[in-house]
Amino acid sequence: SPEPVMMGGVSARNHLVLAAGVLGTCASSLSRMLRSGAGAVVTKSIGPEPRFGHPGPCLVVLEDGLMNAMGLPNPSKQFQDELSALSGEPVIVSIFGGNPEQFHEVAGWFADKAQAFELNVSCPHASGFGAQIGTNPDIVKACTEAVKEWKKPAWVKLTPNVTDITSIGKAAEEGGADAIVAINTVRAMRISTGMRRPVLGNKYGGLSGKAIFPIAVRCVYELYEACSIPIIGCGGVSCAEDVIEMMMAGAQGVEIGSAIVRDPDIFSHICKDLYAPDGISPREIVGCAHG
Ligand code: RRO
């Protein structure tokens, strides 16, 4: 196993991070991911009030990825209990809110337990959160500044559902972000032709997995040219070759989510290939695809 890796103020055990939302609501599944080789883990997004989420079906498996409309289900402040069971572990707490004050409040609940925060300014499925916030550079900057008052590393996770992702990345950087995570899910929909209705209970959802990998690579590449803080690549990474491609686009590390569905031990399997004795040194390849 490699040396500890510093990524945006977080000390991780390798370059691979469990993406937010996946197995992230309880301490036991987060710690299972760490045991199975994740370098660090991001929790399910926690917000200002408890939520049950959208009616089902809220997750469907497609040919080339997943589509979800979970609807931000989370235990809110109660998540403190789960986090206590993970003390000393590399855990990044994903948080969301409807305005900078709510981001500040939620971050405060976890400020002494989290290694870092990941600001979710990109959830596509709940009115008042995410989508509205993550498409407005001024609000992204204000939310980032609010969370940074707690003096912890703050990653900001961006939505791909914008015309110019670099303007949002630059706003996060101006707000004091320690890293940018790109990307959250892509706006999507499927219709059941047999049932003659949308397959998701919420009608619309967010697409993740292999299908969005090229979208994520382009976003990381553009952000690397526009911003000076580290970028963490997220979106469809499912093998060591994908990790290397993301790094060549400019990512210092990657997050992995959907690929866990097909291989629960994906982290150790990718580590084995990525850190093979004759492999490439990640340090030397970050951003190497840029002229
Ligand atoms: O809970 C969700 O529906 C959800 C969130 Br918070 C998010 O950030 N991204 C996503 O695809 N689903």
Side-chain angles (χ1 to χ4, degrees):
S1 64
E3 302 286 293
V5 177
M6 283 305 293
M7 282 186 281
V10 172
S11 174
R13 295 167 185 165
N14 57 57
H15 296 81
L16 314 180
V17 178
L18 174 70
V22 185
L23 300 168
T25 350
C26 72
S28 59
S29 56
L30 286 166
S31 104
R32 173 159 191 254
M33 286 298 110
L34 287 164
R35 279 199 307 276
S36 80
V41 295
V42 185
T43 70
K44 175 67 185 166
S45 293
I46 306 296
E49 300 285 347
R51 290 174 58 104
F52 287 111
H54 290 316
C58 55
L59 178 69
V60 293
V61 179
L62 305 177
E63 305 83 359
D64 217 11
L66 305 178
M67 186 174 64
N68 87 85
M70 307 304 290
L72 300 89
N74 80 95
S76 193
K77 197 179 183 192
Q78 283 287 111
F79 188 68
Q80 284 174 328
D81 303 344
E82 297 298 320
L83 209 52
S84 300
L86 293 162
S87 70
E89 306 279 357
V91 177
I92 299 144
V93 178
S94 172
I95 58 176
F96 72 90
N99 53 52
E101 293 71 33
Q102 288 183 348
F103 268 94
H104 184 268
E105 180 188 17
V106 176
W109 298 336
F110 308 107
D112 58 342
K113 292 266 166 55
Q115 265 244 5
F117 293 115
E118 184 178 279
L119 283 69
N120 186 354
V121 295
S122 47
C123 180
H125 321 124
S127 55
F129 299 115
Q132 285 91 336
I133 291 192
T135 58
N136 182 321
D138 297 329
I139 305 180
V140 168
K141 183 180 173 195
C143 291
T144 309
E145 285 170 343
V147 170
K148 279 305 290 184
E149 286 179 22
W150 297 103
K151 308 280 180 213
K152 286 265 166 174
W155 296 1
V156 178
K157 185 163 183 178
L158 304 187
T159 175
N161 305 312
V162 289
T163 311
D164 178 16
I165 198 168
T166 65
S167 64
I168 312 296
K170 283 190 271 192
E173 180 170 356
E174 283 172 25
D178 295 272
I180 291 161
V181 183
I183 54 179
N184 206 315
T185 51
V186 176
R187 284 154 50 99
M189 179 182 203
R190 291 297 300 273
I191 292 165
S192 161
T193 54
M195 310 274 269
R196 302 188 173 201
R197 57 177 169 80
V199 300
L200 288 170
N202 182 55
K203 291 207 291 195
Y204 308 116
L207 184 64
S208 61
K210 275 184 182 294
I212 72 165
F213 182 68
I215 299 171
V217 170
R218 177 174 176 162
C219 289
V220 168
Y221 192 93
E222 290 185 355
L223 287 162
Y224 183 82
E225 306 232 311
C227 302
S228 310
I229 53 177
I231 297 155
I232 315 290
C234 181
V237 173
S238 64
C239 62
E241 189 87 21
D242 292 343
V243 177
I244 290 165
E245 187 172 339
M246 274 291 197
M247 288 182 164
M248 289 182 171
Q252 299 223 341
V254 304
E255 292 190 359
I256 296 174
S258 301
I260 293 162
V261 172
R262 286 176 180 282
D263 177 9
D265 289 315
I266 185 102
F267 289 103
S268 60
H269 291 149
I270 293 184
C271 281
K272 191 164 149 277
D273 295 340
L274 195 61
Y275 305 118
D278 57 344
I280 314 176
S281 151
R283 221 189 301 272
E284 290 160 26
I285 61 168
V286 174
C288 78
H290 292 261

mmCIF file of all heavy atoms in Angstrom, residues 2-3 28 33 88 218 245 284:
data_model
loop_
_atom_site.group_PDB
_atom_site.id
_atom_site.type_symbol
_atom_site.label_atom_id
_atom_site.label_comp_id
_atom_site.label_asym_id
_atom_site.label_seq_id
_atom_site.Cartn_x
_atom_site.Cartn_y
_atom_site.Cartn_z
ATOM 1 N N PRO A 2 0.400 2.331 -0.644
ATOM 2 C CA PRO A 2 1.233 3.511 -0.862
ATOM 3 C C PRO A 2 1.361 4.372 0.383
ATOM 4 O O PRO A 2 0.766 4.091 1.417
ATOM 5 C CB PRO A 2 0.463 4.262 -1.944
ATOM 6 C CG PRO A 2 -0.964 3.895 -1.713
ATOM 7 C CD PRO A 2 -0.954 2.508 -1.146
ATOM 8 N N GLU A 3 2.167 5.419 0.274
ATOM 9 C CA GLU A 3 2.281 6.447 1.318
ATOM 10 C C GLU A 3 0.957 7.183 1.429
ATOM 11 O O GLU A 3 0.181 7.205 0.481
ATOM 12 C CB GLU A 3 3.349 7.470 0.908
ATOM 13 C CG GLU A 3 4.720 6.888 0.668
ATOM 14 C CD GLU A 3 5.393 6.513 1.974
ATOM 15 O OE1 GLU A 3 5.705 7.420 2.758
ATOM 16 O OE2 GLU A 3 5.574 5.303 2.217
ATOM 17 N N SER A 28 -21.181 1.662 9.826
ATOM 18 C CA SER A 28 -20.680 0.322 9.504
ATOM 19 C C SER A 28 -20.358 0.183 8.016
ATOM 20 O O SER A 28 -19.354 -0.424 7.648
ATOM 21 C CB SER A 28 -21.680 -0.746 9.955
ATOM 22 O OG SER A 28 -22.925 -0.551 9.328
ATOM 23 N N MET A 33 -16.100 0.168 3.685
ATOM 24 C CA MET A 33 -15.429 0.694 2.485
ATOM 25 C C MET A 33 -13.963 1.036 2.781
ATOM 26 O O MET A 33 -13.084 0.811 1.957
ATOM 27 C CB MET A 33 -16.177 1.925 1.963
ATOM 28 C CG MET A 33 -17.487 1.603 1.281
ATOM 29 S SD MET A 33 -17.257 0.566 -0.202
ATOM 30 C CE MET A 33 -17.949 -0.968 0.324
ATOM 31 N N GLY A 88 -11.107 9.298 14.098
ATOM 32 C CA GLY A 88 -9.761 8.950 13.670
ATOM 33 C C GLY A 88 -9.680 8.451 12.241
ATOM 34 O O GLY A 88 -8.596 8.335 11.686
ATOM 35 N N ARG A 218 -14.064 15.791 -19.313
ATOM 36 C CA ARG A 218 -14.040 17.140 -19.899
ATOM 37 C C ARG A 218 -14.163 18.214 -18.811
ATOM 38 O O ARG A 218 -13.454 19.221 -18.846
ATOM 39 C CB ARG A 218 -15.163 17.312 -20.925
ATOM 40 C CG ARG A 218 -15.149 18.728 -21.452
ATOM 41 C CD ARG A 218 -16.119 18.986 -22.566
ATOM 42 N NE ARG A 218 -16.050 20.414 -22.905
ATOM 43 C CZ ARG A 218 -16.498 20.922 -24.023
ATOM 44 N NH1 ARG A 218 -17.042 20.129 -24.941
ATOM 45 N NH2 ARG A 218 -16.415 22.209 -24.246
ATOM 46 N N GLU A 245 -6.589 8.219 -16.553
ATOM 47 C CA GLU A 245 -7.127 9.198 -17.519
ATOM 48 C C GLU A 245 -7.606 10.459 -16.798
ATOM 49 O O GLU A 245 -7.327 11.585 -17.225
ATOM 50 C CB GLU A 245 -8.267 8.555 -18.333
ATOM 51 C CG GLU A 245 -8.762 9.442 -19.465
ATOM 52 C CD GLU A 245 -9.757 8.742 -20.388
ATOM 53 O OE1 GLU A 245 -9.794 7.480 -20.420
ATOM 54 O OE2 GLU A 245 -10.508 9.455 -21.082
ATOM 55 N N GLU A 284 3.501 12.021 -11.282
ATOM 56 C CA GLU A 284 4.059 12.496 -12.552
ATOM 57 C C GLU A 284 3.025 12.700 -13.648
ATOM 58 O O GLU A 284 3.337 13.303 -14.679
ATOM 59 C CB GLU A 284 5.120 11.506 -13.057
ATOM 60 C CG GLU A 284 6.380 11.516 -12.228
ATOM 61 C CD GLU A 284 7.215 10.253 -12.402
ATOM 62 O OE1 GLU A 284 7.110 9.601 -13.466
ATOM 63 O OE2 GLU A 284 7.948 9.912 -11.458
#
